[in-house]
Amino acid sequence: MAAAAECDVVMAATEPELLDDQEAKREAETFKEQGNAYYAKKDYNEAYNYYTKAIDMCPKNASYYGNRAATLMMLGRFREALGDAQQSVRLDDSFVRGHLREGKCHLSLGNAMAACRSFQRALELDHKNAQAQQEFKNANAVMEYEKIAETDFEKRDFRKVVFCMDRALEFAPACHRFKILKAECLAMLGRYPEAQSVASDILRMDSTNADALYVRGLCLYYEDCIEKAVQFFVQALRMAPDHEKACIACRNAKALKAKKEDGNKAFKEGNYKLAYELYTEALGIDPNNIKTNAKLYCNRGTVNSKLRKLDDAIEDCTNAVKLDDTYIKAYLRRAQCYMDTEQYEEAVRDYEKVYQTEKTKEHKQLLKNAQLELKKSKRKDYYKILGVDKNASEDEIKKAYRKRALMHHPDRHSGASAEVQKEEEKKFKEVGEAFTILSDPKKKTRYDSGQDLDEEGMNMGDFDPNSIFKAFFGGPGGFSFEASGPGNFFFQFG
């Protein structure tokens, strides 16, 4: 009697439980089929919802987790998908698709080694599985790209690193580590908008990502927005206090800002020697900061020009434009130094570059002035021929002519070699030309302004220096230059 009662109790307790389990399985299958339908229509959000309902009904069914993992992968939610894929193979280690999906998630997230293990397990279960074979090759390719990129980063071959990361990201599109390395290299290459775009995309998904904050700051730092850059570096260090790169960049940024400001202050106070030293120290802080260093070189060039070290100033400005070939201020500073050192062709070249970039009236006038000086420099320098300053008085010009005409008169050199005679005759003629132009106020004005003297009807090719000489020295009260014999000369006064 007791035994029969016990049996009844057992039957009463287990029969409804079995019936509920079967019903749950049927309902779960219905949800799965609905999920499949939505998946086929690419409505992955709805597919996800129905697969979740199926899992809730039967939480120990490996295929349901596998299906939801596939859906999450299509939604780009690889980390969540990895959790489902791993659960599917925990429930059923022979589930090949589960291992494939686990490997694919690992690979998409950039963990190629873990991906290889998953694909190897899939191949152990099905050695002819074409997808597993291909994915295993892809995972190995990613590991090779990582290895090459690491070596090339050390060599500072940033272009090659970007190439490797682009190839790796084709198989690992959700790997933040690869994206950050690519962005950092883009920043080092001066491709700041691209680098910022990559970092910003990551920060939209994860605002606490210290690496992305560092890269964002690095771009600002290299664009000479140092104050804003420091804010990002500090924020990165809050997220990851041991972030070595952010720490170094923050320290460099603060030091560079301080040195540059101290140099500017010394320059404004007229302490050019100190300004030079401070700018030089600033240039030694970070050779990778191209834009800031270009400005420092230009600033130091300005200091050198103030110290009248014009060759050094030109060299500094040249270094500035090598770093930043769009730096107008450096071209203008160098052009002025070229003008001051009478290197007019170089000055014209720089002013042309400036005017092509910024077509302002001021730049046009600077170019015209340089072109005029170049034109003037290609003519004979009559001031130099007479040995007088450009501001020489009428009397100084006459005295200079008197001295030079007597020095180079052909009769004085009649006993010299034919070569010397020819050279002195040429100089005598040039002295006459110079005096003719500089002693005539109208011609002198035209000459000084760079105008063509031929427009005045003066053909210097037909010029007779002897006529000028006689007119200057001959006549009452004057004197003439005559020879008494070969190599013998005397002055005869009237």
Side-chain angles (χ1 to χ4, degrees):
M1 187 72 183
E6 186 178 331
C7 186
D8 288 343
V9 170
V10 170
M11 291 297 292
T14 58
E15 190 174 358
E17 204 173 279
L18 289 170
L19 289 171
D20 287 347
D21 187 52
Q22 291 299 321
E23 183 65 30
K25 285 181 179 179
R26 282 195 295 272
E27 195 169 346
E29 277 296 303
T30 301
F31 287 139
K32 185 196 80 169
E33 293 301 324
Q34 288 176 298
N36 289 348
Y38 280 113
Y39 188 94
K41 292 190 289 186
K42 299 183 180 181
D43 188 344
Y44 302 117
N45 286 309
E46 279 302 306
Y48 171 84
N49 291 334
Y50 280 98
Y51 289 140
T52 300
K53 289 177 181 180
I55 289 170
D56 290 341
M57 297 302 295
C58 287
K60 292 184 180 180
N61 187 306
S63 68
Y64 296 168
Y65 285 99
N67 286 1
R68 192 169 72 174
T71 304
L72 286 166
M73 289 166 69
M74 297 306 293
L75 290 168
R77 292 157 62 179
F78 292 99
R79 201 161 295 283
E80 296 171 71
L82 177 61
D84 274 354
Q86 289 174 325
Q87 178 64 8
S88 75
V89 297
R90 274 196 291 268
L91 292 169
D92 181 3
D93 186 53
S94 66
F95 186 26
V96 175
R97 286 188 180 181
H99 288 293
L100 284 171
R101 286 165 185 159
E102 181 187 8
K104 188 69 175 174
C105 289
H106 277 308
L107 187 57
S108 296
L109 291 165
N111 192 344
M113 192 172 290
C116 281
R117 289 195 294 267
S118 296
F119 297 136
Q120 280 177 322
R121 179 58 183 149
L123 287 168
E124 287 171 8
L125 294 166
D126 180 6
H127 69 278
K128 291 184 178 180
N129 190 297
Q131 183 184 354
Q133 291 171 353
Q134 183 58 53
E135 293 293 359
F136 184 73
K137 288 180 182 177
N138 293 345
N140 277 290
V142 169
M143 284 195 288
E144 186 62 23
Y145 285 130
E146 280 190 84
K147 185 179 176 182
I148 295 169
E150 185 180 348
T151 301
D152 288 327
F153 189 88
E154 291 297 320
K155 293 178 182 177
R156 301 183 65 78
D157 189 349
F158 301 122
R159 280 187 174 81
K160 196 168 179 183
V161 177
V162 170
F163 172 81
C164 288
M165 289 301 95
D166 278 338
R167 300 291 79 76
L169 284 163
E170 290 174 6
F171 304 113
C175 181
H176 285 180
R177 184 164 48 86
F178 292 168
K179 290 178 181 180
I180 288 294
L181 181 56
K182 174 185 174 180
E184 184 177 359
C185 290
L186 287 170
M188 300 300 280
L189 291 167
R191 293 160 63 179
Y192 307 122
E194 294 172 75
Q196 286 184 25
S197 177
V198 174
S200 296
D201 285 345
I202 293 172
L203 288 171
R204 273 193 288 273
M205 292 181 280
D206 177 11
S207 62
T208 65
N209 189 301
D211 291 325
L213 289 166
Y214 159 71
V215 170
R216 189 77 178 84
L218 195 65
C219 292
L220 290 165
Y221 172 59
Y222 285 155
E223 289 182 292
D224 199 40
C225 300
I226 295 178
E227 202 166 327
K228 286 184 180 178
V230 169
Q231 293 173 8
F232 275 93
F233 295 144
V234 169
Q235 196 175 347
L237 289 167
R238 284 200 197 103
M239 299 299 112
D242 59 345
H243 198 295
E244 188 178 354
K245 289 182 177 180
C247 184
I248 293 170
C250 190
R251 185 170 63 244
N252 285 344
K254 288 179 178 178
L256 201 53
K257 182 174 182 287
K259 285 288 182 187
K260 184 181 176 185
E261 288 177 352
D262 288 346
N264 292 346
K265 182 182 177 184
F267 179 83
K268 288 176 182 176
E269 291 173 353
N271 192 342
Y272 301 131
K273 186 174 182 296
L274 178 59
Y276 178 89
E277 291 171 358
L278 289 165
Y279 289 141
T280 302
E281 288 173 17
L283 282 164
I285 292 172
D286 184 1
N288 294 320
N289 195 321
I290 291 172
K291 278 193 176 289
T292 302
N293 287 342
K295 291 182 179 180
L296 288 168
Y297 271 121
C298 186
N299 287 359
R300 196 173 74 173
T302 303
V303 170
N304 276 322
S305 69
K306 291 289 185 182
L307 295 170
R308 303 311 295 167
K309 295 180 178 179
L310 297 178
D311 289 339
D312 290 342
I314 288 170
E315 185 180 353
D316 276 340
C317 292
T318 299
N319 285 329
V321 298
K322 280 180 182 176
L323 293 176
D324 181 2
D325 63 0
T326 65
Y327 193 13
I328 295 299
K329 189 176 179 181
Y331 283 110
L332 288 170
R333 172 59 57 195
R334 187 172 69 173
Q336 184 56 58
C337 291
Y338 280 140
M339 292 291 286
D340 293 341
T341 54
E342 299 183 2
Q343 299 179 67
Y344 300 121
E345 286 189 10
E346 289 82 355
V348 167
R349 181 195 64 209
D350 279 355
Y351 283 132
E352 282 177 340
K353 171 77 174 177
V354 170
Y355 186 62
Q356 285 168 6
T357 307
E358 294 183 359
K359 288 182 164 43
T360 67
K361 288 182 179 179
E362 181 186 356
H363 294 158
K364 185 177 183 180
Q365 189 57 49
L366 288 168
L367 175 58
K368 285 180 69 176
N369 293 343
Q371 289 170 332
L372 176 60
E373 291 302 321
L374 174 61
K375 180 180 177 182
K376 287 162 67 175
S377 71
K378 290 183 176 180
R379 304 176 310 173
K380 292 177 182 178
D381 187 340
Y382 290 138
Y383 291 102
K384 189 175 181 180
I385 288 169
L386 288 183
V388 296
D389 186 79
K390 291 183 178 180
N391 297 316
S393 65
E394 187 178 344
D395 284 343
E396 287 173 329
I397 289 170
K398 285 181 179 180
K399 287 177 183 178
Y401 172 70
R402 180 190 299 272
K403 178 181 176 181
R404 297 292 172 116
L406 292 171
M407 184 186 302
H408 299 296
H409 195 285
D411 287 351
R412 178 183 285 275
H413 304 281
S414 59
S417 66
E419 187 177 347
V420 170
Q421 287 186 42
K422 186 176 181 181
E423 182 62 26
E424 292 298 328
E425 186 177 347
K426 177 185 174 184
K427 289 180 179 178
F428 178 66
K429 183 177 180 181
E430 287 178 341
V431 168
E433 286 180 19
F435 179 69
T436 300
I437 300 303
L438 299 182
S439 62
D440 184 317
K442 188 176 179 181
K443 290 190 176 92
K444 183 176 182 297
T445 300
R446 290 182 66 83
Y447 174 77
D448 288 343
S449 65
Q451 296 181 58
D452 291 326
L453 296 172
D454 288 344
E455 292 177 10
E456 282 283 296
M458 181 174 181
N459 186 342
M460 302 310 286
D462 298 332
F463 175 77
D464 181 7
N466 289 306
S467 299
I468 301 298
F469 185 84
K470 288 177 182 177
F472 187 88
F473 288 104
F479 61 90
S480 62
F481 188 83
E482 294 183 2
S484 60
N488 299 313
F489 308 94
F490 66 93
F491 293 108
Q492 179 176 324
F493 290 86

